[in-house]
Amino acid sequence: NAGVTQTPKFQVLKTGQSMTLQCAQDMNHEYMSWYRQDPGMGLRLIHYSVGAGITDQGEVPNGYNVSRSTTEDFPLRLLSAAPSQTSVYFCASSPRATGSTEAFFGQGTRLTVV
Amino acid sequence: AQRVTQPEKLLSVFKGAPVELKCNYSYSGSPELFWYVQYSRQRLQLLLRHISRESIKGFTADLNKGETSFHLKKPFAQEEDSAMYYCALSVFNTDKLIFGTGTRLQVFP
């Protein structure tokens, strides 16, 4: 029962490098989202998707791109990494976008940009 | 604007003591509120939701619309309750879940 799977778990990047954080879910959830977790700031929404082919910006979208070509996958792309993007990234999915449904989280990706 | 405030970054108690983690929200509509917990080296997971009015692991939370609060309470803390706790607000019709900044609970033996 995999749930939400994120890869990689850890990554170190040099400033200016690009990379993609992968997120996959096997629960056929329509809604997926990306958060970053920083000390003292909680979880902040980066981008989200309400279904395949539909994405929208969250609270802190700058520097990140997303796409949703399938229901299962929701990759997060950093086009040109900056030290300010050092953070722990969480992907989440839920069967409905809002309401009293549970969000399921991945185990997180710890990213360091040097 | 929608906002979730958790005023305490850290709450330290001894085993057996009562615990109250504070959460206040700002939202013009009818709120749907949650508590999520992250144990050490584990993923974030749902602890409870206000609409269920349930008690999970001895924790309860009551929505107080007059005070716009959703405080998490437990009468007798256990060491295994040590974790990071996040209060979250589901914003109707915007597909967003807004989190507070989190409170780290430390329960000492």
Side-chain angles (χ1 to χ4, degrees):
Chain A
N1 200 5
V4 179
T5 303
Q6 289 181 237
T7 55
K9 290 186 179 180
F10 303 95
Q11 183 71 48
V12 179
L13 287 179
K14 293 183 178 179
T15 298
Q17 284 185 317
S18 63
M19 80 159 295
T20 300
L21 278 64
Q22 301 292 344
C23 176
Q25 53 94 4
D26 61 359
M27 297 173 282
N28 201 32
H29 287 169
E30 289 297 316
Y31 183 70
M32 296 185 73
S33 54
W34 277 101
Y35 293 86
R36 58 177 290 172
Q37 183 186 43
D38 300 293
M41 306 195 74
L43 277 80
R44 292 182 292 169
L45 183 64
I46 304 172
H47 285 285
Y48 64 98
S49 169
V50 299
I54 306 169
T55 64
D56 206 345
Q57 296 181 349
E59 182 185 359
V60 288
N62 292 341
Y64 308 94
N65 281 349
V66 292
S67 60
R68 186 91 181 273
S69 56
T70 66
T71 299
E72 295 77 18
D73 300 301
F74 191 45
L76 178 72
R77 297 184 187 85
L78 284 71
L79 298 179
S80 179
S84 61
Q85 294 178 304
T86 294
S87 187
V88 180
Y89 291 85
F90 288 97
C91 178
S93 74
S94 60
R96 282 171 47 198
T98 57
S100 291
T101 55
E102 179 178 354
F104 294 83
F105 284 82
Q107 75 273 33
T109 295
R110 186 174 294 274
L111 176 67
T112 302
V113 183
V114 298
Chain B
Q2 304 90 10
R3 192 184 192 102
V4 176
T5 302
Q6 294 180 251
E8 304 141 327
K9 289 186 177 180
L10 174 65
L11 183 63
S12 299
V13 300
F14 286 102
K15 176 182 174 181
V19 169
E20 183 179 54
L21 285 76
K22 291 183 168 51
C23 172
N24 288 91
Y25 66 91
S26 174
Y27 182 53
S28 58
S30 182
E32 303 214 32
L33 289 153
F34 307 81
W35 277 99
Y36 280 81
V37 60
Q38 187 177 26
Y39 300 104
S40 179
R41 299 178 184 174
Q42 294 187 27
R43 62 187 68 196
L44 202 65
Q45 58 187 286
L46 179 67
L47 179 62
L48 55 80
R49 67 197 85 186
H50 93 270
I51 199 168
S52 301
R53 296 175 181 255
E54 57 200 346
S55 173
I56 303 294
K57 298 183 179 181
F59 285 98
T60 59
D62 292 320
L63 177 62
N64 186 323
K65 291 186 178 181
E67 296 182 357
T68 59
S69 68
F70 187 56
H71 302 329
L72 184 67
K73 300 177 183 179
K74 185 170 183 176
F76 308 104
Q78 303 299 315
E79 289 179 68
E80 55 265 30
D81 295 329
S82 295
M84 194 74 177
Y85 291 81
Y86 289 97
C87 183
L89 168 72
S90 176
V91 182
F92 178 75
N93 217 30
T94 67
D95 308 315
K96 293 178 183 177
L97 192 61
I98 296 174
F99 285 86
T101 51
T103 298
R104 180 168 297 283
L105 175 64
Q106 290 182 334
V107 182
F108 295 109

